[in-house]
Structures are given as structure tokens and as C-alpha cells.
Amino acid sequence: MSGHPGGPATAAPGTRTRPSRRLVRTVTVVASCLAVLAAAVVVGVRALGQEPTVTLLANWTGDDEKDFREAVLEPFERKYHIRVDYQGSNAESQVLGADVEAGTPPDVVVLTGPGELADYARQKHLLPLEDLVDPKDFGTSWAMPLADGHVYWFPLKADLKSIVWYPAGVGEEQRAQAARQPAEWCVGMGSGATSGWPGTDWIEDILLQRYGPKVYGDWARGRLPWRSQQVKAAWTAWRGLVGAGGDPALVRRALKTPYDAASQPVTARPRGCTLEHQASFIRGQRAWQQADGRYAPSAQLLAGTAANQAWEVSGDLVALLHATPAAEKLIRHLASADAQRAWSAKESGFSVHTDVRPAPGDAGPDWRRSLARTLRDARETHCFDASDAMPPAVRDAFAEATIEFLAHPDHLDTLLRSLDTLSGTQGLTWLPSVCDGAPDQPSGLSPAPMPG
């Protein structure tokens, strides 16, 4: 307030009146009392349950959590006067499993695994979303109906995986030469409770590029044995690319390095590695920013592949566990073009919402616009990350097997036999499809038998 209620005090031009010390003290005391009173009112309202709250579990921490809060959650809280109790965890699958077991799951969850979500849907822990979200806004490959006809998730963000990053200035011939030298690949297998998943991405992508989406889809849906010629060939091709069974120093580096630190040698002098087979989100790492990272389709650099047959993709998928009014409002908000556009603008990922497209003359970097176009191009074949699409027990065993294989390549037959046995377990939940335009046989909420 700029003046006294009765009008401004008279002062000579160019001078300022100085409030009395008593007035300053009085104003300070009143302001402090009002602040305490306001805080008490907020606490009282929450205690009485008059301020709705929705609980949300996701995997974003650090800068990603900050961006998510600022771009998506805070606008929601201001608009609807609903508080979001957010929990970010790098071990969200384990956290969610423990919460569900204890009977205290969050209202809304964001998971990377449709296979895990399909299992929760089979157990009746998830609620259908058709009345809250239009699946056509994302397409059936992203908001997939299961065998019961219901859609239980949609993507908040997406990433492209069938790509290889390299520093600006490294030409096509240099990249081809580097791809044949295991020491030139930046590899990090560490990721806390989910260590090993970078290895699954390699094997999945090699299989997809060599044998196409049909073979890939059969395997990801539990209908092609792990000991099949195609799957085994993908494992052995990865062994050759990264030097497993060759240079022990390379293997130790890969096993000891966290996935998000694998690219650091790119900026060393001399350069410690040149190529990284990793999803689009890795471009946000400081090393690739400093190296002005560019990407090439993985089919150009993975030995033995033909022209790019399909793109492996991943997504952060939103699902509903409690249909409270506050949770339903949050679901609608997260599925809205505005929220998805705001999150995508933070460059933490890409939206595949049909109404979120780069504006004409978008000033974003060429690599980002190119990735966005590929993710949204209906003419391209997109196949969801196979391990994420598998039942959680198979996914986790696959990740662990890649670590064991790097250290002991001669254990491959034993590892594949164990994965076949596990995949044949009765009662596992397999998805009906993992690739665009490949509906296959519906099996989303029922076990899919392994071929004999």
C-alpha cells in the first residue's frame, strides 16, 4: 500500500517522508501476526480436509523433478486449488509394489513399463481411463487397449531409443570406424535398483534392426524363445560390439559406470569414447551438450543390420489407482495438450499428443525437431521397449542377465535357458502388441504360452 488511507502525507518535492520507528514496529508486528494466522488457517483447512490433495508417484528427481513441478504441477495446483503430494524415486517400481502390498498406493502413478501396468490392471489395481482421456489423442500404440477393451494408461512423455549419439564434427566414415572398435563405445550399466537396463536396450535394438518388428514383437510378447537363433544372435552381436570376453578393462568400465556418466569421456582430451547407444533423453547430459551431440539411426552403426526397419521407443506412462475427484482432475490435466506442451518445452522429453506439434519456425535445435518428427511420424513403425513391455519378473531377470553376460559371456546358454523357464511361468501378463500396426493376438490380461 503506497499511502495512508486518508491520502498521502505532504512532503516537499524531491524529498521522502520517513515513517516513525513506532509505526515500523507496529506494521512489523501486525504483518507477523497475519502471517502466523494465514499459516494456521492453511494448516486448519488441510486438517479439516477442505483442501483436496492428490498423491503422485513418479521417477523424476533432481532437475527433472524441478522442471516437472514448475511446468506441470504448479499450474495445476493454482488452477484447481488442489495440492499434489509428489514423491519422486529412482526405484519407483519397488516403492509402488511395497505401497500396494501395504494397501497405501498413490492415487496416480507414472511408470515406464506397460508390462508392469498390465499386471496391475489384471490384479484390478488400475482403473480404466476412457471417461477421462481420449485415447485417440495418443494412438493405440501409446494408449493401448488391453484384452478387456479398456485403456489403463497414456504417455506423459516419450523418447526415441534406436539412435547412436556422437560429437559434432565426427563424420560418417569416422563413425563407421568407431563402431567397429569396442573402446569407442561409451557404455555404463549402472542404475541403482534397475542396473542392467542399458544392456537390454542394446539387445532389443539389435534384434529389431536385424529381424524386424514381427520377430521383435513375438519375442517381447513371450512367443519367441530366448534360445531362438535370432535372440541368441542379438546377444552375441552385442558381445562383439562392446568387447565382452575381450578387453577386461572395457568390461570393468562398463560394469562400474552409471549409465548417466557413460558419456563423460566424450569431452576428455584425448577423447575417451565417441559413440553412445542411448535414448534421446541422454542429450540433456552435460557431456553431450558440451560436445554438441548429434545422432544417427542405430541401424547405420550396429553391425549386420539393414536399412532402419523400425524405431524402439519408450514412454513415461500415467495410470490411475484411486478415482477421487482430485485424482481425476490431475489425470485430465496430465493428458491435456497444454500440460504436455509445457513439459515437452522443458526438453525433458517429447510429447506424442496429436495436438502438440512444433510450431512453424520453431527455433529449437535441429536434432530435437528431428527426434520429435520421428516419434510422431505415422508412416514409421514404433516398437515399445521390449523389456519394459515384459512382465516385471522377466524384465528384471533380463536386466540382471545382461550384467552377468558382460562379465561371463560363456554363460549365455545358461542365462537364456533360465529366461526361457521364467518366461514360461503360468500366470504372467503379456501385452497384446508392442509395435504400431501389429495388433497380433489379444493377450493383454492373460498368460501367453511359449512356443514348444
Side-chain angles (χ1 to χ4, degrees):
M1 194 169 178
S2 61
H4 189 276
T10 303
T15 66
R16 301 178 70 182
T17 58
R18 183 186 299 271
S20 70
R21 187 172 297 170
R22 177 177 296 178
L23 176 59
V24 170
R25 186 183 300 119
T26 302
V27 170
T28 302
V29 171
V30 171
S32 299
C33 291
L34 289 175
V36 172
L37 179 60
V41 169
V42 170
V43 172
V45 168
R46 289 178 179 172
L48 292 172
Q50 294 178 5
E51 181 183 77
T53 298
V54 56
T55 55
L56 171 63
L57 172 65
N59 66 351
W60 297 304
T61 59
D63 289 341
D64 284 340
E65 177 182 343
K66 178 177 177 290
D67 289 344
F68 182 53
R69 286 182 181 276
E70 292 177 353
V72 180
L73 296 185
E74 290 176 6
F76 170 80
E77 291 178 321
R78 288 193 298 268
K79 180 176 181 179
Y80 294 104
H81 304 288
I82 295 172
R83 186 171 67 94
V84 179
D85 183 4
Y86 175 82
Q87 180 181 6
S89 173
N90 292 325
E92 59 172 340
S93 290
Q94 291 79 4
V95 171
L96 180 61
D99 287 348
V100 168
E101 183 71 21
T104 58
D107 299 320
V108 178
V109 68
V110 184
L111 287 176
T112 57
E116 187 172 359
L117 290 172
D119 196 45
Y120 279 119
R122 180 180 61 83
Q123 299 175 48
K124 307 299 182 184
H125 290 301
L126 302 186
L127 298 169
L129 299 179
E130 301 94 277
D131 293 339
L132 303 173
V133 176
D134 186 351
K136 294 179 182 177
D137 286 341
F138 303 98
T140 55
S141 60
W142 294 101
M144 180 189 304
L146 296 182
D148 62 359
H150 292 301
V151 172
Y152 291 94
W153 62 78
F154 64 90
L156 180 55
K157 80 177 187 73
D159 280 291
L160 199 64
K161 286 202 164 187
S162 295
I163 53 180
V164 173
W165 293 97
Y166 62 91
V170 175
E172 184 175 351
E173 184 175 344
Q174 289 175 281
R175 299 196 297 272
Q177 291 175 352
R180 294 190 290 270
Q181 302 175 48
E184 292 297 321
W185 287 101
C186 312
V187 183
M189 298 287 284
S191 185
T194 58
S195 292
W197 67 258
T200 69
D201 281 1
W202 274 91
I203 293 162
E204 293 159 4
D205 200 20
I206 292 170
L207 183 74
L208 178 62
Q209 302 309 330
R210 284 194 172 192
Y211 301 106
K214 177 64 171 64
V215 168
Y216 178 93
D218 285 347
W219 170 63
R221 297 170 52 246
R223 296 178 178 274
L224 179 70
W226 290 83
R227 285 172 290 174
S228 67
Q229 176 268 327
Q230 299 98 321
V231 176
K232 187 172 183 178
W235 285 78
T236 55
W238 180 49
R239 178 186 65 195
L241 283 165
V242 299
D247 187 345
L250 287 181
V251 173
R252 283 197 298 270
R253 184 178 76 178
L255 293 175
K256 291 182 177 182
T257 302
Y259 81 93
D260 53 359
S263 56
Q264 290 178 0
V266 167
T267 58
R269 292 293 179 267
R271 185 181 291 143
C273 58
T274 304
L275 307 174
E276 184 172 18
H277 179 267
Q278 188 54 275
S280 52
F281 61 76
I282 208 67
R283 182 54 169 76
Q285 292 295 322
R286 181 174 299 176
W288 283 121
Q289 292 179 346
Q290 292 175 346
D292 191 15
R294 311 298 174 86
Y295 78 91
S298 60
Q300 296 178 6
L301 295 167
L302 301 183
T305 63
N308 209 86
Q309 299 196 52
W311 299 92
E312 185 179 8
V313 298
S314 64
D316 291 88
L317 309 174
V318 182
L320 177 67
L321 291 91
H322 289 145
T324 67
E328 291 179 347
K329 281 188 173 67
L330 181 59
I331 289 288
R332 290 192 178 97
H333 175 72
L334 297 177
S336 70
D338 287 344
Q340 299 238 340
R341 188 178 296 110
W343 183 219
S344 181
K346 288 289 187 179
E347 297 194 2
S348 294
F350 300 88
S351 172
V352 289
H353 194 293
T354 56
D355 291 335
V356 180
R357 295 182 178 275
D362 187 350
D366 289 343
W367 62 266
R368 184 169 176 80
R369 283 181 283 142
S370 175
L371 287 168
R373 284 195 299 269
T374 300
L375 275 167
R376 298 189 183 104
D377 193 340
R379 297 168 298 180
E380 299 282 1
T381 299
H382 304 99
C383 293
F384 213 94
D385 181 297
S387 56
D388 285 344
M390 292 173 180
V394 181
R395 173 201 64 196
D396 295 345
F398 182 14
E400 292 172 4
T402 64
I403 295 174
E404 175 74 12
F405 177 68
L406 268 188
H408 304 285
D410 56 322
H411 292 184
L412 180 58
D413 287 337
T414 300
L415 292 170
L416 296 182
R417 185 179 300 109
S418 296
L419 287 166
D420 268 335
T421 299
L422 178 59
S423 297
T425 303
Q426 293 298 313
L428 295 180
T429 305
W430 299 88
L431 294 182
S433 176
V434 295
C435 297
D436 290 330
D440 297 319
Q441 299 172 12
S443 58
L445 295 178
S446 59
M450 292 291 292

